[in-house]
Amino acid sequence: MDYRELYKKDLSGFYLFFGCEKLLMENTLKYIINKYIPKGTYAFNLSRVNNFNELYKSAWTLPVMSEKKLILIDDGAMFESELEDFEKFKDFLDNFFPYNILIIMEGQNPFNKTKKFYRYFQGQNRNVEFSKLKGSMVNSFVDGYFLRKGIKVSKALTSYMIEKSGYNSRNLDMTLYDLKNEMDKLIALGEITKEKIDSLMTDNIDTNVFALTDAIGDRNLDISFKELHNLYKINEPVQKTFVIIQRQIRLLLAYKILQKAEYSPSSIMNIMEIKNYEFTKVSNFQKNFELEELKEIYSFMEDIDLKLKSTDLDQMLLMEMLITKICKKNPS
């Protein structure tokens, strides 16, 4: 179950909270407390327990001046490891009193999703995932945080900050806590500008990848070499970098072929199955290449690919040869 479903329904029974976004988890817990537990009644209706015996005793206590009471287990993995009789625990939950809301939180150690503890909650559709935000949801989170702090930031700067932060990177274990810390640092500097974002945030793998593909598209040899080595320094595998460059050349070649066949720009974008932002870049970069050049470069790439996979030649040397071939005007 996605955590957002909890905001749409009347809660009762038991839930297992898990996932990498602990900030979303904590925010959701605050929402549940504020919605179901009246202020001034926390001592009666909000309890934290560590083991099954404490849970059992708490569950039998009726709520006071409230329709619900909330029971929290902060370290679910620890609770699971100390649970002596799972069947007894399962029977207890199967007959759980409807006035109780039990939330078992994933602590520092993740739940083992192959064990019966997790599978039980999954089978009941009571496992609530707090995964990384995607797409516009990240922008909404950032915009909302700045708004609550009384800071005005343009949508363009928001997107730029997210890109620089590395939150969307497939290679970085960055969470909303990390992103929030970066935003707090920016807020402390006063008015947020592109220059302040650049000065504060370190480059990440995705940022370097974008810089490399842009430099290759512009056929700028010096910057291409620089970004290639930046990726190497932050331990991006050479083969992955090769695949990224190969895809860039493949897109440029496809554009040229379809353009020669007199397809419209919108048709080219649909056939290539890329979004408008990337299509705009490709359509601009393709002007720097001739069709025959791209065919020759692609053939050269196949040879480099084979050498990367089957020889002991220095991989960075091979990548430098490839980039030189791409960026050199009128390659022979």
Side-chain angles (χ1 to χ4, degrees):
M1 179 195 307
D2 184 88
Y3 77 95
R4 288 171 293 178
E5 294 185 34
L6 299 180
Y7 290 81
K8 303 174 185 177
K9 58 176 67 175
D10 184 48
L11 302 186
S12 180
F14 48 89
Y15 302 89
L16 188 77
F17 283 13
F18 72 101
C20 63
E21 287 300 359
K22 305 304 182 187
L23 181 58
L24 291 180
M25 198 180 293
E26 291 182 9
N27 288 344
T28 302
L29 181 58
K30 289 177 184 177
Y31 163 80
I32 293 171
I33 292 173
N34 290 334
K35 180 176 180 179
Y36 293 99
I37 310 302
K39 291 183 179 179
T41 72
Y42 289 178
F44 308 106
N45 300 314
L46 177 60
S47 60
R48 281 182 157 84
V49 300
N50 298 309
N51 54 58
F52 179 69
N53 288 336
E54 292 178 2
L55 169 61
Y56 187 84
K57 291 176 183 178
S58 180
W60 277 91
T61 306
L62 292 169
V64 177
M65 294 182 290
S66 173
E67 294 183 1
K68 306 276 188 181
K69 68 172 296 184
L70 181 61
I71 307 172
L72 302 177
I73 297 174
D74 291 317
D75 192 337
M78 179 67 71
F79 177 87
E80 178 188 4
S81 68
E82 296 178 352
L83 189 62
E84 296 179 355
D85 190 338
F86 175 77
E87 290 303 319
K88 184 178 179 180
F89 173 68
K90 177 179 173 296
D91 290 341
F92 168 74
L93 292 184
D94 287 341
N95 298 282
F96 205 55
F97 297 121
Y99 56 77
N100 284 320
I101 301 173
L102 168 65
I103 296 177
I104 303 179
M105 311 267 285
E106 185 176 60
Q108 293 297 320
N109 297 314
F111 292 112
N112 187 331
K113 295 180 176 59
T114 65
K115 290 188 174 181
K116 55 187 176 182
F117 185 88
Y118 176 85
R119 293 205 310 269
Y120 172 76
F121 287 88
Q122 185 180 40
Q124 300 289 324
N125 194 29
R126 294 281 177 154
N127 58 325
V128 184
E129 184 173 13
F130 295 81
S131 58
K132 290 191 74 167
L133 298 181
K134 296 180 181 179
S136 61
M137 291 179 65
V138 189
N139 293 67
S140 296
F141 172 83
V142 173
D143 288 336
Y145 189 79
F146 280 139
L147 185 62
R148 289 192 296 275
K149 295 292 184 178
I151 305 294
K152 292 183 178 180
V153 182
S154 69
K155 292 188 180 300
L157 269 183
T158 294
S159 296
Y160 184 71
M161 191 217 74
I162 293 169
E163 178 184 313
K164 287 285 288 185
S165 74
Y167 180 81
N168 292 323
S169 174
R170 67 196 184 282
N171 295 293
L172 298 180
D173 295 327
M174 187 178 196
T175 67
L176 290 177
Y177 266 125
D178 301 314
L179 187 58
K180 174 179 171 294
N181 288 337
E182 295 295 326
M183 288 188 284
D184 287 337
K185 292 175 187 176
L186 283 169
I187 290 170
L189 295 176
E191 181 184 0
I192 296 175
T193 63
K194 183 176 181 294
E195 289 71 27
K196 288 179 180 178
I197 293 172
D198 287 337
S199 67
L200 182 67
M201 293 185 169
T202 56
D203 283 345
N204 58 78
I205 289 175
D206 281 355
T207 302
N208 291 122
V209 166
F210 294 142
L212 175 61
T213 54
D214 284 353
I216 287 173
D218 286 328
R219 304 185 82 166
N220 188 315
L221 183 62
D222 290 339
I223 296 179
S224 296
F225 270 14
K226 173 188 171 184
E227 298 304 334
L228 173 68
H229 285 274
N230 283 341
L231 284 168
Y232 183 76
K233 288 175 185 175
I234 53 179
N235 298 318
E236 178 74 340
V238 169
Q239 193 62 44
K240 282 190 176 182
T241 304
F242 174 84
V243 170
I244 290 166
I245 297 173
Q246 186 181 49
R247 180 178 182 274
Q248 173 90 338
I249 298 302
R250 186 186 294 120
L251 290 175
L252 293 170
L253 181 58
Y255 187 103
K256 282 288 191 184
I257 292 172
L258 293 170
Q259 183 185 54
K260 186 176 181 180
E262 299 184 349
Y263 281 85
S264 67
S266 60
S267 296
I268 294 175
M269 185 171 70
N270 290 333
I271 293 170
M272 292 170 64
E273 296 183 339
I274 57 177
K275 295 182 179 180
N276 185 63
Y277 176 77
E278 186 175 20
F279 177 77
T280 300
K281 283 197 167 188
V282 171
S283 64
N284 287 330
F285 290 147
Q286 60 85 24
K287 298 172 185 175
N288 298 324
F289 298 84
E290 298 297 331
L291 177 58
E292 293 306 315
E293 283 183 313
L294 288 169
K295 289 180 179 179
E296 187 176 343
I297 290 169
Y298 199 82
S299 177
F300 186 77
M301 289 191 75
E302 292 178 331
D303 182 56
I304 294 292
D305 188 24
L306 181 62
K307 289 177 179 176
L308 285 171
K309 294 175 179 176
S310 61
T311 71
D312 293 327
L313 293 174
D314 184 278
Q315 291 191 328
M316 283 302 291
L317 176 60
L318 290 171
M319 293 297 290
E320 288 175 350
M321 290 170 58
L322 172 60
I323 286 178
T324 301
K325 181 74 172 178
I326 295 170
C327 293
K328 184 180 177 182
K329 302 288 184 179
N330 300 315
S332 57

